[in-house]
């Protein structure tokens, strides 16, 4: 598990090829708001955690980002 717990300012495509990419480790932190696209390969996981009980998920992932899932759906 790779956990992003801060505000990541990079831009471009995020690719999860294997394993788990987790946004946040507590609360509603961890963001990919600069990502223009997110590709999740078969068997990989993008997990957005929100453990503080808040329903605030604003700007966790760029609203305009294209999300591509690979493999059998």
């Amino acid at each position: 598990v790779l956990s992003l717990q801060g505000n990541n300012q990079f831009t471009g495509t995020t690719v999860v090829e294997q394993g788990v990419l987790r946004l946040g480790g507590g609360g509603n932190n961890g963001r990919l708001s600069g990502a223009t696209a997110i590709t999740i390969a078969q068997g990989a996981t993008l997990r957005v955690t929100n453990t503080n009980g808040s329903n605030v998920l604003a700007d966790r992932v760029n609203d305009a980002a294209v999300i591509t899932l690979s493999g059998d759906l």
Side-chain angles (χ1 to χ4, degrees):
V1 175
L2 174 62
S3 182
L4 301 178
Q5 298 184 28
N7 298 334
N8 296 284
Q9 300 300 319
F10 70 91
T11 58
T13 301
T14 298
V15 178
V16 185
E17 291 187 353
Q18 62 183 1
V20 178
L21 174 60
R22 181 176 69 186
L23 297 183
N28 61 353
N29 57 0
R31 288 170 171 65
L32 288 175
S33 54
T36 56
I38 300 170
T39 300
I40 305 165
Q42 182 174 356
T45 303
L46 173 64
R47 180 178 300 149
V48 180
T49 61
N50 199 31
T51 58
N52 70 353
S54 170
N55 289 324
V56 177
L57 293 176
D59 296 326
R60 300 291 295 278
V61 175
N62 180 357
D63 292 339
V66 174
I67 299 177
T68 303
L69 305 174
S70 301
D72 299 326
L73 302 176

